Amino acid sequence: SQTIHQWPATLVQPVGSPLSLECTVEGTSNPNLYWYRQAAGRGLQLLFYSVGIGQISSEVPQNLSASRPQDRQFILSSKKLLLSDSGFYLCAWRPGGGEAFFGQGTRLTVV
Amino acid sequence: DQQVKQNSPSLSVQEGRISILNCDYTNSMFDYFLWYKKYPAEGPTFLISISSIKDKNEDGRFTVFLNKSAKHLSLHIVPSQPGDSAVYFCAARGYGGATNKLIFGTGTLLAVQP
């Protein structure tokens, strides 16, 4: 069966520090991978998606970037965090065009 | 531009009664709709979906209705249980399949009172 791992679960980082969140999927190959953010009162906003190694599409201009160095690995990064980057970050994968399966999320607090 | 809208941020119902969660969308090219349930500090879990060629899909206590002319879908939970208390997100997929994104609404917090 397929599983998705996302870590860390919580993170407190100072403004201006770098960020690296990692997501890996097991039990499948060539998944479509997604990063979402849930900010307070704003639902789930799609940040990035990837259909293959090295292929990244960005949905909104922001202080974040994503990379896919391996087939089942998706990384969300920032060089310098802003207060507005605080939120709940979710990695997801889709086996095709159907439903997405989400990781447990990372609560990021920028102080 | 919010293409998927859930206009009720919260809903409270009594245990055993029906919960109706609503969702509106603006893009007529959406061809597949989904509902997710989310507990605090966890990732959303898939509940039920419906294709645009149908107007109803049922799975146990959960039924999703789609009204394409009104660009409206709803999730009915009958009977509601305290364990159903969570945030519910509707999502829509654009026409074209595998790489098309899921666009989520802002969520509705459902509280089922015992």
Side-chain angles (χ1 to χ4, degrees), chain A residues 3-110:
Chain A
T3 56
I4 181 168
H5 301 280
Q6 185 182 341
W7 65 93
T10 59
L11 193 58
V12 180
Q13 292 283 98
V15 169
S17 64
L19 172 73
S20 180
L21 301 181
E22 188 163 344
C23 172
T24 59
V25 181
E26 294 178 358
T28 186
S29 59
N30 198 30
N32 295 326
L33 296 173
Y34 304 81
W35 279 110
Y36 284 87
R37 176 171 61 199
Q38 183 185 13
R42 293 199 59 188
L44 295 176
Q45 181 186 33
L46 179 62
L47 303 176
F48 300 95
Y49 69 95
S50 171
V51 300
I53 296 174
Q55 301 179 61
I56 308 295
S57 296
S58 174
E59 284 299 293
V60 292
Q62 58 204 317
N63 186 42
L64 302 167
S65 62
S67 61
R68 187 166 176 176
Q70 300 180 40
D71 181 46
R72 290 170 286 177
Q73 184 184 31
F74 203 23
I75 297 173
L76 183 69
S77 304
S78 174
K79 292 182 179 178
K80 289 185 178 181
L81 284 169
L82 306 172
L83 287 173
S84 58
D85 292 324
S86 294
F88 192 59
Y89 288 83
L90 290 155
C91 180
W93 77 281
R94 289 168 75 193
E99 66 265 27
F101 299 90
F102 286 84
Q104 288 298 294
T106 296
R107 169 69 62 192
L108 171 66
T109 304
V110 182

Side-chain angles (χ1 to χ4, degrees), chain B residues 31-63:
Chain B
D31 69 341
Y32 186 65
F33 303 88
L34 309 91
W35 283 95
Y36 281 81
K37 175 181 179 180
K38 184 183 180 300
Y39 293 117
E42 294 184 9
T45 54
F46 170 72
L47 266 180
I48 192 169
S49 63
I50 188 167
S51 165
S52 60
I53 63 173
K54 295 185 176 181
D55 56 17
K56 178 183 175 181
N57 188 27
E58 189 172 358
D59 184 2
R61 296 186 297 115
F62 301 92
T63 303

Side-chain angles (χ1 to χ4, degrees), chain B residues 13-78:
Chain B
V13 299
Q14 289 295 119
E15 181 178 4
R17 306 294 291 269
I18 184 172
S19 295
I20 300 177
L21 298 116
N22 294 303
C23 179
D24 297 294
Y25 60 95
T26 58
N27 191 337
S28 59
M29 295 301 291
F30 288 148
D31 69 341
Y32 186 65
F33 303 88
L34 309 91
W35 283 95
Y36 281 81
K37 175 181 179 180
K38 184 183 180 300
Y39 293 117
E42 294 184 9
T45 54
F46 170 72
L47 266 180
I48 192 169
S49 63
I50 188 167
S51 165
S52 60
I53 63 173
K54 295 185 176 181
D55 56 17
K56 178 183 175 181
N57 188 27
E58 189 172 358
D59 184 2
R61 296 186 297 115
F62 301 92
T63 303
V64 56
F65 295 91
L66 176 63
N67 182 334
K68 282 183 292 183
S69 61
K71 296 191 180 68
H72 176 84
L73 67 154
S74 60
L75 174 68
H76 293 210
I77 306 174
V78 182

